[in-house]
Amino acid sequence: MTRTLTVATWNINSVRLRQDLLTTLMAKAAPDILCLQETKAPDFLFPSDLGNKLGLPHVLTRGMKGYNGVAVLSRFELQRLETTPDWCGKSDCRHIAANVLIGHQPITIHNFYVPAGGDIPDREANPKYGHKLDFITEAKKHFASCPPYRTILVGDLNIAPLENDVWNHKQLLGVVSHTPAETAGLNEWREQGFTDAIRHFVSQDQKLFTWWSYRNRDWRASNRGRRLDHIWVSRDLEASLSHHDILSEARDWPRGSDHVPVVLTLAI
DNA sequence: ATGGTTGGCCCCCAA
């Protein structure tokens, strides 16, 4: 029997401030699994009724005070993967993983919030950039040691890997999120057994963005976007890729995030 | 070349 599984990822930039927008997202995209980044809420302050309200009653959170924070909300039962690495030894709530109990064989989901990396693309001058590169290297090594199977990896990876993942490739080569060191690192991580599910549907010669800075007067008119949010699937799931959606309209939702939701449907 | 905005939280940091 074939069924569909729809996964959404969204850097929501404060879950407590934007609960209403999640109701809107459910009405538009109806994901079975919703992965959030930058929840900015410690677990005891994560809205306790949110999952039930959205029809996604199985909820896992990893949050901290003020910064970062990730969550998975699911229509299906989740088994948390407890033995995930402590990335860069920082215990900073940037990753949560679970098995989704669906059908005869579970699907594994990884939800990442990769460090943004600060402004200066130099690890000596800017330790945050070094942290970002180290995080990517650790992630690559981790998946090299346990190759993905029936696995979906989503998140705000804070890197736009392709020329058409940014509004101006040449101008952004020296800007954190599109430097050669970052894009090479992200490609090596993905090559540990994943396919870029969104680029499976959208040709590499098409511009594709998931984030537009708050610092533009009119994000749609200037369209200085970047594709920072990604969904990858393990290669065994490539044949199951069914369709995708990038909800650019969400950038105009009242008091919205600077990121928009990315949605993938699989026929499994 | 610079500045532009947002959120959380302790008057500044991170994005």
Side-chain angles (χ1 to χ4, degrees):
Chain A
M1 186 190 87
T2 303
R3 69 206 307 178
T4 66
L5 181 69
T6 298
V7 180
T9 179
W10 194 16
N11 177 321
I12 193 172
N13 189 16
S14 171
V15 67
R16 285 175 285 174
L17 202 63
R18 301 191 214 283
Q19 293 182 64
D20 296 351
L21 301 187
L22 290 174
T23 305
T24 307
L25 172 61
M26 292 306 293
K28 304 266 182 195
D32 301 299
I33 302 169
L34 172 58
C35 296
L36 302 175
Q37 304 87 35
E38 283 208 89
T39 54
K40 294 185 175 178
D43 293 339
F44 77 95
L45 288 178
F46 192 95
S48 56
D49 58 334
L50 181 62
N52 285 325
K53 203 170 71 183
L54 299 177
L56 304 172
H58 304 281
V59 178
L60 299 176
T61 64
R62 174 173 282 160
M64 62 192 284
K65 186 179 176 180
Y67 307 104
N68 309 331
V70 286
V72 182
L73 297 83
S74 170
R75 195 178 304 283
F76 306 103
E77 192 179 337
L78 298 172
Q79 281 177 344
R80 188 169 190 150
L81 301 186
E82 303 283 358
T83 57
T84 51
D86 177 19
W87 305 100
C88 302
K90 286 185 181 286
S91 311
D92 58 357
C93 303
R94 296 181 175 276
H95 175 226
I96 190 166
N99 282 330
V100 183
L101 304 187
I102 175 173
H104 59 289
Q105 212 182 356
I107 295 262
T108 302
I109 185 115
H110 287 274
N111 179 12
F112 277 96
Y113 175 52
V114 169
D119 287 331
I120 305 164
D122 179 320
R123 66 159 69 235
E124 311 304 325
N126 169 23
K128 286 190 258 185
Y129 185 70
H131 175 216
K132 183 178 196 175
L133 295 178
D134 293 345
F135 191 105
I136 299 289
T137 301
E138 277 192 19
K140 174 183 75 178
K141 287 180 180 163
H142 173 74
F143 287 100
S145 73
C146 51
Y149 173 70
R150 285 180 73 80
T151 296
I152 304 169
L153 185 155
V154 310
D156 176 3
L157 307 185
N158 262 318
I159 297 172
L162 298 170
E163 292 195 10
N164 283 317
D165 290 340
V166 293
W167 64 278
N168 186 321
H169 167 63
K170 283 186 181 166
Q171 201 162 327
L172 288 177
L173 275 171
V175 173
V176 174
S177 74
H178 195 60
T179 64
E182 292 168 87
T183 57
L186 191 71
N187 286 338
E188 288 167 23
W189 176 6
R190 198 196 64 250
E191 285 160 8
Q192 303 313 309
F194 293 103
T195 295
D196 180 338
I198 304 304
R199 281 295 181 188
H200 174 87
F201 297 103
V202 183
S203 143
Q204 295 199 4
D205 58 18
Q206 302 289 308
K207 292 276 181 207
L208 200 57
F209 308 143
T210 65
W211 171 88
W212 292 263
S213 171
Y214 282 127
R215 302 177 192 178
N216 281 105
R217 206 168 290 273
D218 184 336
W219 72 273
R220 203 184 282 277
S222 56
N223 198 25
R224 295 186 168 191
R226 303 178 202 169
R227 188 170 72 109
L228 304 179
D229 304 275
H230 299 273
I231 302 182
W232 297 347
V233 299
S234 56
R235 296 215 179 98
D236 55 288
L237 292 179
E238 210 169 341
S240 309
L241 294 172
S242 181
H243 53 97
H244 87 290
D245 198 7
I246 294 176
L247 277 87
S248 308
E249 65 196 86
R251 190 61 181 73
D252 277 331
W253 291 351
R255 297 206 75 188
S257 170
D258 46 353
H259 295 252
V260 300
V262 178
V263 184
L264 174 74
T265 299
L266 299 128
I268 55 168

